[in-house]
Amino acid sequence: MTPEETSGIGTTSTAGPAAVLPVTAAVDVDVCEVGPRDGLQSLSGFVPTAAKLDWIVREAAAGVREIEVCSFVPPKVVPQFVDAADVVAGALDIPGLTVTALVPNAKGAERAVAAGVHRLSFTLSVSRSHSLANVRRTPDEQLAEFARITAFLATVPAEHRPLVSGGLSTVFGCATEGPVDEAEVVRLAVGLAEAGADDISLADTTGHANPAQVRRVVTAVSRAVGDRLTALHLHDTRGLGLANVLAGLDAGIRSFDASLGGLGGCPFAPGAHGNITTEDLVFMLESMGLRTGIDLGRLLDARRALEAALPGAPFAGHLHKAGLPKGFRPASGGRS
Ligand code: ZN
């Protein structure tokens, strides 16, 4: 989300660049579904394009307004995304949906722009060893690649130019390196901002974060880049995902990535399975009186359909087991 869109609780998103679609309802917190990218990249079997689009359509119908639908990595590296352009084309047919795609490099950015995405999500790992494993570049080489992307975007006509998010990964710890230097996180966030990121997000790729750390790092990065820092991407690897969301909310974050059914992980970060679960996140926010614009009943229907489509996939979460509590009143209204 752009800074203008997340200027505070209770505000309505404003129309920004042409890529941002009209907003139909006020929300307090944006929930971005990343399962079709983060959830599927770790699955071994190819999920048919129609099944991916069915998932995306169901979540959009539940009120999810932004979905990271795929990754423009080389298909040789992750064959799951060989159909990235087709998935984007299908998702672009859904009215009101902001279609985001992950891009690891300039080549991926060119493919994503050609496909017509609304937002590019670039990823830069703070951990040197994770960065080398993930994109075969050091963090500073990856920062230089980001500058190549923003230079390329400057050549794209404004009406076709997507927004570009700079995402720092392994911000709170790394599966191979352990603790990550917070000063390095701030330095690279400033680098992304100076290179032209519209907004910045911080990712707990391997589930290392704790709430005190989230509050501290978000505050430090916000101090350095201001309201350019808008989003958190959290994993629930060790059960602290929603506690970390709460810490992020306290520190002023109003946009969170999540994955339906808690699917997710990173093939280059052993043990890093499990994004925070979209339906559990929405339940927590709505319970707290924070509007997401998402209908929980429909979201649970989407989860059931996804479980049927992906038998054997590592699903997680709690709400689907217990159901909504008696007398539950979602902040966003709806049938729940
Ligand atoms: Zn992730």
Side-chain angles (χ1 to χ4, degrees):
M1 291 293 106
T2 60
E4 293 77 23
E5 286 175 296
T6 51
S7 52
I9 275 190
T11 57
T12 304
S13 297
T14 54
V20 176
L21 293 161
V23 169
T24 52
V27 300
D28 301 312
V29 178
D30 287 300
V31 173
C32 175
E33 172 64 47
V34 297
R37 194 277 302 169
D38 207 339
L40 293 186
Q41 73 183 6
S42 54
L43 293 188
S44 48
F46 179 73
V47 177
T49 310
K52 291 169 180 159
L53 284 170
D54 183 67
W55 176 3
I56 293 162
V57 165
R58 285 175 190 274
E59 281 212 59
V64 175
R65 307 184 318 165
E66 178 166 0
I67 302 182
E68 193 166 284
V69 300
C70 63
S71 173
F72 282 92
V73 285
K76 267 190 316 200
V77 178
V78 189
Q80 184 65 262
F81 300 122
V82 68
D83 60 351
D86 294 334
V87 172
V88 168
L92 288 173
D93 284 340
I94 302 170
L97 181 69
T98 296
V99 178
T100 299
L102 187 141
V103 296
N105 53 36
K107 176 86 182 146
E110 287 173 25
R111 290 173 58 211
V113 170
V117 302
H118 300 124
R119 180 189 298 274
L120 304 177
S121 177
F122 179 81
T123 181
L124 189 170
S125 185
V126 182
S127 154
R128 183 184 168 88
S129 54
H130 182 264
S131 185
L132 287 169
N134 206 18
V135 293
R136 297 177 199 276
R137 282 189 284 273
T138 66
D140 280 298
E141 287 168 349
Q142 184 68 340
L143 188 56
E145 186 74 4
F146 184 67
R148 279 189 278 279
I149 289 175
T150 53
F152 158 66
L153 290 176
T155 69
V156 176
E159 65 271 25
H160 298 300
R161 188 186 307 146
L163 297 172
V164 59
S165 301
L168 289 178
S169 59
T170 63
V171 162
F172 301 93
C174 169
T176 48
E177 291 192 7
V180 164
D181 182 3
E182 291 177 14
E184 188 66 354
V185 173
V186 171
R187 183 183 75 83
L188 290 168
V190 169
L192 287 170
E194 288 177 351
D198 291 300
D199 48 74
I200 289 170
S201 77
L202 305 178
D204 182 23
T205 312
T206 50
H208 278 67
N210 66 68
Q213 186 186 17
V214 168
R215 207 171 281 124
R216 187 173 68 240
V217 174
V218 166
T219 301
V221 174
S222 294
R223 214 171 270 145
V225 302
D227 58 8
R228 203 89 65 105
L229 173 61
T230 60
L232 285 174
H233 174 105
L234 300 166
H235 282 239
D236 197 34
T237 317
R238 294 175 176 83
L240 297 187
L242 290 184
N244 290 332
V245 169
L246 200 55
L249 284 168
D250 286 348
I253 299 295
R254 295 292 177 265
S255 179
F256 297 90
D257 290 352
S259 177
L260 193 68
L263 283 180
C266 172
F268 304 109
H273 56 82
N275 279 90
I276 56 171
T277 303
T278 307
E279 60 272 23
D280 290 2
L281 170 65
V282 172
F283 173 65
M284 184 182 87
L285 295 168
E286 293 283 338
S287 303
M288 293 170 66
L290 296 169
R291 294 167 297 174
T292 63
I294 297 169
D295 181 310
L296 271 167
R298 285 183 163 204
L299 196 60
L300 287 169
D301 290 345
R303 177 190 166 120
R304 276 188 284 277
L306 185 62
E307 283 195 84
L310 301 177
F315 286 95
H318 297 278
L319 184 68
H320 70 289
K321 288 185 275 193
L324 293 165
K326 188 172 181 182
F328 173 66
R329 292 247 182 279
S332 293
R335 79 176 199 202
S336 302

